[in-house]
Amino acid sequence: MSAHPTAQQPTPQAEGQVPDDAADRVQPGRRVRLAVDRPMRLDSGIEIGGFQIAYQTYGTLNADRSNAIMVCHALTGDHFVAETHPVTGKPGWWEMLVGPGKPVDTDRYFVICSNVLGGCLGSSGPKDTDPATGLPYGLSFPVVTIGDMVRAQKLLVEHLGIDKLFCVIGGSMGGMQVLQWAVAYPESVFAAVPIATAARHSAQNIAFHEVGRQAIMADPEWRGGSYLLEGTRPEAGLAVARMAAHITYLSEAALHRKFGRNLQDRKAITYGFDADFQVESYLRYQGAAFVERFDANSYLYITRAMDYFDLAADAGGSLANAFRPGGKTTPVRFCLASFSSDWLFPTSESRAIVHALNAVAANVSFVEIGTDKGHDAFLLDEPEFHQVIHGFLEGCAEHRGLSVRRRAR
Amino acid sequence: MSAHPTAQQPTPQAEGQVPDDAADRVQPGRRVRLAVDRPMRLDSGIEIGGFQIAYQTYGTLNADRSNAIMVCHALTGDHFVAETHPVTGKPGWWEMLVGPGKPVDTDRYFVICSNVLGGCLGSSGPKDTDPATGLPYGLSFPVVTIGDMVRAQKLLVEHLGIDKLFCVIGGSMGGMQVLQWAVAYPESVFAAVPIATAARHSAQNIAFHEVGRQAIMADPEWRGGSYLLEGTRPEAGLAVARMAAHITYLSEAALHRKFGRNLQDRKAITYGFDADFQVESYLRYQGAAFVERFDANSYLYITRAMDYFDLAADAGGSLANAFRPGGKTTPVRFCLASFSSDWLFPTSESRAIVHALNAVAANVSFVEIGTDKGHDAFLLDEPEFHQVIHGFLEGCAEHRGLSVRRRAR
């Protein structure tokens, strides 16, 4: 299951485990049904029970179950954090950061990552079959929030027998989940690392998401969300959505460095509408590759969850209040990181969170990493960023009393 | 024809004038057929003749024909610069800047603006009928460049009996045309005002254009460009293209100021995919309004022309060389303006032009206007910007020996 020689600890609790059936082979990895006995109430008020969460773990949970790190993935990510992806064959999306000897050291920590509720990579979402009708949910799947995603993760963590996470870490939408964990379950989180994220989705970001959703919904193959039922695929619309979003993940400087105005194989412009420029060909490839692995309705649901995210609104309009549950400063230790060329989640967004944490005298460190790689930098080779994560976790481990325990290699 | 009480001077030459037929009533305004006797060679090598250019003029051409200002419009602009638009009923797109007593003072200058070649608002473009086949051109219309647009404008200016323009002015794609005028016809331009523009389209801007084009081409109603022939309209794709582009015209700060996370009429989020946020509703409106007035194929053609624009490439790789025709410094006086929150054509792009002009010791002034309104600032109420234009034109008028001639009001 893992590309790394990490020991896989058996799940502490076995009830609710889904057998490795054919569906599992299509979407490999671990999975569990949660809220089977008692349904989970979503922010919308709708109750759902027996939903499936796909997850992976890396490393070994220690005897007092105090070394678990929850990794939260971004919009189109999944739970294959630190191993070759079983479907795409590509390296795990955060192998730079997570693995044996890496900043999030799986020789030392027990790492958990689950596909978000509403996703399409193993966890329950709009592409699944509604047991009530025997048909794909489509838009009848309930709209979920970042709060609901984290609620499901909390059930997973409890299912794994863990009362308190050593750390929750993630970038972009993953960072929103980190913030939500810290605010919703401050006693269940020792340390939190929200990266390249914001406490609320900005107007510009909502606007970009809306363009993507409109591109999907404009595709006649979308069929009002019922494309699975009707045997169509809104690939063109989803590809356009991905292309638009992809631009926002990079910086102008990175695009210039990577592509500039370089032409494709042809030496000269063609005076036509083929992909003359490399950047056009690259974008088209990104769009085409994405539709192979992602469900269009899930894209609608997850972007919507991000748009709805607003920690301050949920705390009576004050972000600082969100970090002072019951009038007491949050016990969670925070480390925030932003990237200088990230214009999707600019440093000012992280700073607003830091200011709110400072206002309640919380334990917080913050660094802006200088890079020209844009928002995607959190997924890339950024040594200073990796050092920051390593150092923060080392310090927290000491505070938490986690012994240095390296397995023989 | 004009909302302002400006005297309309009859066109000096009448040949090639198109009679005011039914088609003219659909697309009101002046129009002329150019290159009737001798075809015009496009950058692609294709020759076209007898194409139509729609234009408007404001103010009066003086006796020595030395007070003409060519206004160049942006991607989706038109020639109705300074009068109520006859189709939309909205004010002219640059009434802030152009009109009696305005910085571009139609009491003093003779202002010309033409719809670009390849456009859809009166000038020949892909939506017109190919006389050879009797069918709409669609993608068989030749691909045009900024150079070709300016070439056509030069023919129009000659048709109007003007040897040398007092000034060429425009923002965004209009600024590209201004630069092209100065480089291609340095002896025919006294002063040039390129605003919020660049000497070459950046990788990021090409990427955004490509998203828009892919959105249009992904619409099955586009029919490979033959939608006019087939009686369909790729409205959904064009609307998505416009929505994506529209975000780039504003700044994050402007979007935040205008909309923030404000909800629509509803007081609470709906947990659905309707436009909950005002910014979503605004974008949808922008998309829907745009398809009423713009042709999808023209959008492909004009974005392509911008992508292809690269002044330095045409001058052997050196932008400075572009401003040193025949080894002699350009005689054109330049005034550049950029806007601090414009991330589509950031100040660095203007600065690169200024550096090239400085390198050849050209006459250039440059100002970055501080504003949070983004790229669209060049169309908006920006008093400092308007003062800069006014002052520069005053100075140039003095150098040019234009007498102050105010008509009785």
Side-chain angles (χ1 to χ4, degrees):
Chain A
M1 182 188 294
S2 170
H4 298 297
T6 54
Q8 290 288 347
Q9 169 147 320
T11 313
Q13 299 172 27
E15 81 274 4
Q17 204 78 24
V18 178
D20 185 9
D21 61 11
D24 285 333
R25 280 193 292 278
V26 174
Q27 292 283 354
R30 293 179 168 203
R31 57 204 56 208
V32 60
R33 289 213 175 270
L34 297 170
V36 173
D37 297 332
R38 194 175 49 181
M40 186 178 90
R41 189 181 170 85
L42 300 172
D43 278 330
S44 63
I46 292 172
E47 296 199 327
I48 60 169
F51 57 84
Q52 181 169 277
I53 292 294
Y55 69 101
Q56 292 297 92
T57 68
Y58 308 89
T60 308
L61 190 61
N62 62 7
D64 59 358
R65 301 169 183 266
S66 64
N67 70 334
I69 295 183
M70 183 85 196
V71 171
C72 302
H73 71 70
L75 207 174
T76 68
D78 56 35
H79 42 301
F80 297 102
V81 180
E83 63 192 292
T84 300
H85 196 286
V87 176
T88 67
K90 290 187 177 170
W93 60 268
W94 228 4
E95 285 198 20
M96 290 273 183
L97 201 75
V98 182
K102 301 283 175 69
V104 179
D105 188 349
T106 52
D107 284 346
R108 187 167 187 187
Y109 307 115
F110 177 65
V111 171
I112 312 158
C113 184
S114 61
N115 183 218
V116 295
L117 185 63
C120 55
L121 299 158
S123 292
S124 291
K127 85 170 170 49
D128 293 319
T129 302
D130 181 352
T133 63
L135 303 173
Y137 280 104
L139 293 197
S140 71
F141 193 84
V143 166
V144 296
T145 64
I146 301 292
D148 296 328
M149 293 174 182
V150 168
R151 217 163 260 139
Q153 288 164 9
K154 182 69 163 65
L155 291 181
L156 170 66
V157 166
E158 287 169 6
H159 166 77
L160 295 174
I162 297 162
D163 289 332
K164 183 165 189 159
L165 291 167
F166 169 59
C167 181
V168 190
I169 184 171
S172 196
M173 186 182 83
M176 290 178 169
Q177 293 163 65
V178 172
L179 292 168
Q180 180 68 28
W181 260 102
V183 167
Y185 309 108
E187 301 301 332
S188 302
V189 177
F190 186 76
V193 186
I195 302 158
T197 194
R200 54 112 185 87
H201 217 215
S202 71
Q204 182 168 284
N205 288 2
I206 294 172
F208 273 116
H209 275 176
E210 175 66 1
V211 167
R213 285 190 295 261
Q214 289 293 315
I216 290 167
M217 297 188 194
D219 188 334
E221 305 296 285
W222 180 62
R223 305 289 169 96
S226 301
Y227 51 88
L228 289 175
L229 193 61
E230 303 197 18
T232 59
R233 294 188 62 181
E235 293 186 348
L238 183 59
V240 169
R242 176 63 167 181
M243 289 171 65
H246 199 82
I247 301 173
T248 70
Y249 302 152
L250 307 175
S251 69
E252 207 285 329
L255 276 168
H256 182 70
R257 179 168 39 74
K258 274 173 113 156
F259 305 109
R261 295 180 47 84
N262 295 339
L263 298 171
Q264 285 285 90
D265 314 329
R266 309 173 195 93
K267 294 259 187 296
I269 58 177
T270 62
Y271 296 100
F273 298 104
D274 285 342
D276 271 0
F277 296 101
Q278 288 176 8
V279 67
E280 294 177 296
S281 161
Y282 169 77
L283 271 189
R284 290 185 188 187
Y285 171 80
Q286 293 295 335
F290 186 61
V291 302
E292 292 300 315
R293 70 178 179 88
F294 218 83
D295 173 60
N297 280 340
S298 258
Y299 195 83
L300 302 182
Y301 276 76
I302 301 177
T303 55
R304 203 51 164 162
M306 291 179 75
D307 291 354
Y308 280 162
F309 188 63
D310 188 347
L311 268 189
D314 297 343
S318 155
L319 186 54
N321 278 348
F323 298 120
R324 192 164 38 195
K328 237 184 73 187
T329 293
T330 177
V332 180
R333 285 164 165 75
F334 287 86
C335 175
L336 283 90
S338 69
F339 299 93
S340 58
S341 55
D342 182 351
W343 57 278
L344 194 64
F345 289 93
T347 292
S348 55
E349 298 282 6
S350 287
R351 217 167 255 142
I353 300 166
V354 171
H355 288 172
L357 286 165
N358 283 339
V360 300
N363 191 330
V364 56
S365 73
F366 167 54
V367 63
E368 181 192 50
I369 308 293
T371 174
D372 80 347
K373 291 179 190 154
H375 184 61
D376 263 359
F378 81 94
L379 298 167
L380 303 174
D381 186 19
E382 288 287 348
E384 190 195 347
F385 165 55
H386 296 172
Q387 281 160 24
V388 166
I389 302 300
H390 174 75
F392 177 74
L393 290 179
E394 285 285 309
C396 286
E398 199 172 310
H399 280 287
R400 181 77 168 133
L402 289 184
S403 59
V404 176
R405 184 184 45 77
R406 290 205 161 267
R407 289 187 306 107
R409 305 293 291 277
Chain B
M1 181 188 293
S2 171
H4 299 295
T6 54
Q8 290 286 346
Q9 171 146 318
T11 314
Q13 300 171 28
E15 80 273 5
Q17 204 80 23
V18 177
D20 185 10
D21 60 11
D24 285 332
R25 281 193 293 278
V26 174
Q27 292 285 352
R30 294 180 166 200
R31 55 206 56 211
V32 60
R33 289 212 174 269
L34 296 170
V36 173
D37 298 331
R38 192 175 52 182
M40 185 178 91
R41 189 181 169 86
L42 300 172
D43 279 330
S44 64
I46 293 172
E47 295 197 329
I48 60 169
F51 57 84
Q52 179 168 280
I53 293 294
Y55 69 102
Q56 293 296 92
T57 67
Y58 308 89
T60 309
L61 189 62
N62 62 9
D64 59 358
R65 299 168 185 266
S66 63
N67 70 335
I69 295 183
M70 182 86 196
V71 171
C72 302
H73 71 69
L75 208 174
T76 67
D78 57 36
H79 42 300
F80 297 101
V81 180
E83 63 192 292
T84 300
H85 196 286
V87 176
T88 66
K90 290 187 178 172
W93 60 268
W94 228 3
E95 286 198 21
M96 289 275 183
L97 201 75
V98 182
K102 301 282 175 71
V104 179
D105 188 350
T106 52
D107 283 345
R108 185 167 189 186
Y109 307 115
F110 178 65
V111 171
I112 311 158
C113 184
S114 61
N115 184 218
V116 294
L117 184 63
C120 54
L121 299 158
S123 291
S124 291
K127 85 169 170 49
D128 293 320
T129 302
D130 181 353
T133 63
L135 303 173
Y137 280 105
L139 294 197
S140 70
F141 193 84
V143 166
V144 296
T145 64
I146 299 293
D148 297 328
M149 293 174 182
V150 169
R151 218 165 259 136
Q153 286 165 9
K154 182 70 163 65
L155 291 181
L156 171 65
V157 167
E158 287 169 6
H159 166 78
L160 296 174
I162 298 162
D163 290 332
K164 183 164 188 159
L165 291 166
F166 168 59
C167 181
V168 190
I169 185 170
S172 196
M173 186 181 83
M176 291 178 169
Q177 294 163 64
V178 172
L179 292 168
Q180 180 69 27
W181 261 102
V183 167
Y185 309 107
E187 302 301 333
S188 303
V189 177
F190 186 77
V193 186
I195 301 157
T197 193
R200 54 117 185 82
H201 217 215
S202 72
Q204 182 169 284
N205 287 3
I206 294 173
F208 273 116
H209 275 175
E210 175 66 2
V211 167
R213 286 191 294 261
Q214 289 294 315
I216 291 166
M217 297 185 185
D219 188 333
E221 306 296 286
W222 180 63
R223 306 287 168 97
S226 300
Y227 51 90
L228 288 176
L229 194 60
E230 304 198 17
T232 59
R233 293 188 65 181
E235 292 186 349
L238 182 59
V240 169
R242 176 62 167 182
M243 289 170 66
H246 198 82
I247 301 172
T248 70
Y249 301 152
L250 307 176
S251 69
E252 206 284 329
L255 275 168
H256 182 69
R257 179 168 39 75
K258 275 173 112 154
F259 306 108
R261 295 179 47 83
N262 296 340
L263 298 171
Q264 286 284 91
D265 314 328
R266 306 171 197 97
K267 294 259 185 298
I269 58 177
T270 62
Y271 296 101
F273 299 103
D274 285 343
D276 271 0
F277 295 101
Q278 288 177 8
V279 68
E280 294 177 295
S281 160
Y282 169 76
L283 272 188
R284 290 184 189 186
Y285 170 79
Q286 293 294 335
F290 185 60
V291 302
E292 293 301 315
R293 69 176 180 91
F294 218 82
D295 173 60
N297 281 339
S298 257
Y299 196 83
L300 302 181
Y301 276 77
I302 300 178
T303 56
R304 203 49 163 164
M306 290 179 77
D307 292 354
Y308 280 161
F309 188 63
D310 188 347
L311 268 190
D314 297 343
S318 155
L319 186 55
N321 278 348
F323 298 120
R324 193 164 36 196
K328 237 185 72 187
T329 292
T330 177
V332 179
R333 285 164 166 76
F334 287 86
C335 174
L336 284 89
S338 69
F339 300 93
S340 57
S341 55
D342 182 351
W343 56 279
L344 194 65
F345 289 93
T347 291
S348 56
E349 298 282 6
S350 288
R351 217 166 255 142
I353 300 166
V354 171
H355 289 171
L357 287 165
N358 284 340
V360 300
N363 191 329
V364 55
S365 73
F366 167 54
V367 64
E368 181 192 51
I369 308 293
T371 174
D372 79 347
K373 291 180 191 152
H375 184 60
D376 264 359
F378 82 93
L379 299 167
L380 303 175
D381 185 20
E382 288 285 348
E384 190 194 347
F385 165 55
H386 296 172
Q387 280 160 25
V388 166
I389 302 301
H390 174 76
F392 177 74
L393 291 180
E394 285 284 309
C396 286
E398 199 172 310
H399 280 288
R400 181 76 168 134
L402 288 184
S403 59
V404 176
R405 184 184 46 74
R406 290 208 162 263
R407 289 187 302 108
R409 305 294 291 279

